[in-house]
Amino acid sequence: MDPQSGNGRIGQRLVCLTQTQSTNADAFQLAEEGAPEGTVVMADAQTAGKGRRGRVWSSPEGVNLYCSVLLRPLIMPHEAPQLTFLSAVAVARAIEKTTTLAPEIKWPNDVLITGRKVAGLLNEMSAETDGINFVILGIGVNLNMTADQFPDDLRHPATSLLLESGSKVVRTSFADIMLQELDTLYTDFLTFGFAPVRQEWQRRCNANGRRVVVCEAGTEVASGMFAGIDEDGALLLQTGKGTTERIVSGDVMVI
Ligand code: BTN
């Protein structure tokens, strides 16, 4: 099974904005208006950047990558979460190609450098029961953010590539490389399915060989040895009772 190079699908239409509320909201609207697969929306700043679980994504001007990619895959709605794993791997590959840092991925889809979050991904979709209309992959990467630009009330430690490496990242180069990697991964996904990206995601996961604890609203709901992810991207835990527990949501801590 040879990895494909991308076919230039992603980024064929590029919308660059100085400031917007949320590139995900813009891409969603463009998708509803019929924009083609591969349309990318990028902004210098977001005034209402959306994080997962209704959180705010801090999006100061001119320092980071805020981007949303419109895809129209012929897959079933329950398979859509698989696409977020593509974004995580694309971001990790782009970090490796543009810095000397060693990114890791934390389930479901945070990208970490030395345990601190450097990128977050927000997958949104429009679907019917029997198929997907479109998926928006929202990708936020802290590139050149300085310590004083992070909000005080962050729930988990966060960082930027600049803070970790001491060197500024050229935003356009990073975006270009990341989108090329995403294009390649998406072509592979359409050709070979989820298996290759799942394998690479697992190799890059911060929980390999480790015990993890899963919390919901601050309360521990499960714990066990990390045993990979399944075909739907659910987290698998080997429990002390010899069973495998399947986790579909929650905050994961490696212990
Ligand atoms: C998370 O909570 O980890 C997900 C953060 C996703 C942020 C990105 S920035 C570009 C895109 N537009 C948004 O409003 N959110 C995503």
Side-chain angles (χ1 to χ4, degrees):
M1 185 161 65
D2 291 329
Q4 314 273 294
S5 65
N7 69 359
R9 196 186 273 112
I10 291 176
Q12 59 168 305
R13 179 171 170 201
L14 192 56
V15 179
C16 293
L17 306 168
T18 311
Q19 180 174 294
T20 189
Q21 291 190 346
S22 157
T23 56
N24 261 34
D26 295 331
F28 209 96
Q29 191 182 331
L30 287 171
E32 285 183 327
E33 290 164 6
E37 169 160 89
T39 298
V40 174
V41 182
M42 281 193 205
D44 263 4
Q46 296 183 121
T47 54
K50 294 193 278 183
R52 288 195 298 123
R53 297 172 167 237
R55 293 175 194 140
V56 171
W57 185 256
S58 174
S59 309
E61 183 190 346
V63 283
N64 294 332
L65 178 72
Y66 315 118
C67 122
S68 301
V69 179
L70 161 59
L71 299 178
R72 297 184 183 276
L74 294 173
I75 58 174
M76 294 301 286
H78 76 271
E79 294 170 308
Q82 296 175 351
L83 293 165
T84 326
F85 293 81
L86 271 65
S87 323
V89 171
V91 169
R93 286 186 186 177
I95 292 173
E96 277 176 356
K97 287 197 167 172
T98 53
T99 71
T100 54
L101 299 168
E104 290 185 314
I105 306 176
K106 172 175 174 264
W107 187 88
N109 277 305
D110 290 347
V111 182
L112 312 179
I113 306 283
T114 55
R116 287 181 283 268
K117 179 163 170 171
V118 75
L121 309 163
L122 178 66
N123 188 347
E124 297 185 285
M125 76 167 161
S126 157
E128 314 291 327
T129 39
D130 57 348
I132 281 179
N133 299 322
F134 58 83
V135 175
I136 306 297
L137 301 184
I139 302 169
V141 189
N142 298 336
L143 298 179
N144 297 317
M145 213 167 163
T146 51
D148 56 306
Q149 290 178 305
F150 283 93
D152 297 328
D153 57 348
L154 280 181
R155 298 169 62 258
H156 298 295
T159 192
S160 70
L161 297 182
L162 171 65
L163 288 174
E164 294 301 315
S165 70
S167 304
K168 272 199 166 185
V169 177
V170 179
R171 277 193 306 158
T172 46
S173 311
F174 186 91
D176 190 30
I177 290 168
M178 195 277 295
L179 290 174
Q180 277 180 42
E181 293 298 339
L182 191 59
D183 194 48
T184 302
L185 284 157
Y186 186 54
T187 302
D188 283 349
F189 174 80
L190 295 178
T191 314
F192 305 118
F194 185 45
V197 74
R198 176 180 170 200
Q199 209 172 31
E200 182 169 344
W201 186 98
Q202 288 184 161
R203 179 172 64 71
R204 293 177 174 281
C205 180
N206 70 332
N208 279 317
R210 310 275 295 271
R211 266 187 79 74
V212 304
V213 169
V214 184
C215 295
E216 282 279 8
T219 305
E220 182 176 324
V221 291
S223 67
M225 284 299 287
F226 174 71
I229 54 174
D230 70 10
E231 312 74 48
D232 296 327
L235 174 70
L236 301 176
L237 295 184
Q238 209 75 54
T239 68
K241 300 169 204 138
T243 55
T244 302
E245 198 163 339
R246 190 173 176 275
I247 307 291
V248 293
S249 68
D251 271 332
V252 168
M253 269 166 307
V254 170
I255 51 175

